[in-house]
């Protein structure tokens, strides 16, 4: 999965406050709060980085092992996929991402 | 050109928003005058003109099966405005044009229910939030107390003593250039009592947690934003207004102390607030 890329598929509004993201999915006004490392993962997804690049960024910034960073990214992606917030970047575009 | 029915109708002012109500139903008109007695004010250019048409049949409308047992309120973006429906009313509001059409069971409570939703949308557009919160004035400054039903909002009001209760249920927060103000409004909860039609600087928003003794913990900014939004009447589902609500919550959290308040139901908890 390391070369895979994901992209936001629902309109979301995200504000990063003190390095942590608060997010609202506009279609249902549901709130999501991300911790600092999850916020970095989200920023990586938004900017179109591959999973491997996001993992490398986490290792450098948070001084965690590659295995740990990979597990964290996988867990967050699983949650975002389950909530329909992101999809694999090579899937058909469903809905344009918001700001 | 000013519509004669609005010129002759009821004019109210809530949180500095002028509203003109027009209805041909004399009994409903009298009920609305009484309901909004403390909030009547002449306003040259109301921001919302609401035409109300009585529809007695709406009271007995069958509930929507999938929502049986829940309070039914349906708000949907509809073109440039919103369609708002409840068992006892259905109406449309265009916030851009400042117009609304409402068909309702001819009671003040039905009009009030529609107006509450209109204000939850309007206030977001004006940089504020409509919080599910009680508000009490102490030393000339407003303190909001929020949390889900049962958290203690009504209890806080009952323990307010000589302090002014602005609302026990629905707190309107708006920016005023130097900060945020909390506004009295005619949207009460369990107490069923309106506060004064007045505004005060908002000093704090307190997330209520019942405990055996009182104490305050400041919330980190991201938690503060989440707490504000989690306790906002956010009817704007599927709308860009939700994004604006997030911006407004960030602004409020940046300007006002947002904290977790542990409190026991005794008047002494005011010592940690004041």
């Amino acid at each position: 999965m390391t070369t895979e890329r994901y992209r936001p598929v629902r309109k979301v509004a995200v504000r990063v406050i003190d390095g942590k993201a608060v997010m609202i999915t506009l279609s249902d006004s549901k709130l999501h709060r991300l911790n600092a490392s999850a916020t970095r993962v989200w920023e990586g997804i938004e900017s179109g980085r591959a999973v491997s690049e996001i993992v490398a960024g986490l290792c450098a910034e948070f001084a965690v092992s590659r295995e740990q960073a990979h597990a964290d990214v996988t867990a967050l992606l699983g949650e975002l996929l389950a909530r329909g917030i992101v999809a694999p970047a090579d899937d058909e575009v469903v809905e344009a991402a918001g700001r | 050109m000013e519509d004669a029915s609005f010129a002759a109708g009821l004019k109210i002012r809530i949180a500095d928003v002028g509203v003109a109500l027009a209805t041909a139903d004399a009994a409903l008109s009298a009920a609305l005058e009484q309901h909004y007695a403390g909030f009547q004010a002449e306003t040259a250019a109301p921001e919302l003109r609401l035409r109300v048409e009585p529809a007695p049949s709406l009271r007995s409308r069958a509930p929507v099966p999938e929502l049986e047992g829940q309070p039914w309120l349906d708000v949907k973006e509809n073109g440039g405005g919103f369609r708002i429906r409840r068992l006892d009313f259905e109406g449309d509001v265009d916030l851009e044009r400042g117009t609304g059409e409402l068909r309702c069971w001819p009671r003040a409570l039905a009009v009030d229910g529609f107006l509450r939703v209109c204000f939850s949308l309007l206030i977001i557009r004006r940089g504020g939030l409509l919080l599910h919160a009680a508000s009490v004035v102490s030393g000339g400054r407003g303190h909001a107390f929020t949390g889900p039903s049962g958290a203690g909002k009504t209890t806080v009001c009952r323990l307010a003593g000589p302090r002014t209760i602005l609302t026990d249920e629905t707190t309107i927060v708006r920016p005023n250039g130097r900060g945020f103000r909390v506004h009295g409004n005619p949207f009460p909860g369990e107490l069923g009592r309106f506060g004064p039609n007045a505004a005060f600087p908002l000093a704090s928003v307190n997330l209520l947690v019942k405990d055996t003794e009182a104490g305050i913990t400041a919330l980190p900014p991201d938690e503060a934003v989440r707490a504000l939004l989690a306790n906002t009447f956010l009817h704007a589902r599927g709308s860009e207004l939700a994004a604006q609500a997030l911006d407004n919550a960030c602004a409020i959290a940046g300007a006002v102390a947002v904290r977790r308040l542990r409190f026991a139901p005794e008047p002494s908890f005011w010592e940690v607030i004041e």
Side-chain angles (χ1 to χ4, degrees), chain A residues 31-98:
Chain A
L31 281 170
H32 314 272
R33 195 159 60 97
L34 306 184
N35 64 22
S37 57
T39 299
R40 286 288 182 268
V41 177
W42 173 259
E43 289 170 342
I45 293 167
E46 267 199 314
S47 57
R49 284 189 210 116
V51 169
S52 57
E53 296 172 288
I54 296 172
V55 168
L58 285 189
C59 293
E61 185 172 352
F62 295 95
V64 291
S65 68
R66 195 181 175 286
E67 290 71 26
Q68 183 62 54
H70 192 273
D72 289 349
V73 172
T74 304
L76 180 68
L77 278 171
E79 216 168 298
L80 295 172
L81 282 162
R83 295 184 191 191
I85 294 172
V86 301
D90 51 3
D91 276 8
E92 188 186 342
V93 172
V94 176
E95 187 180 354

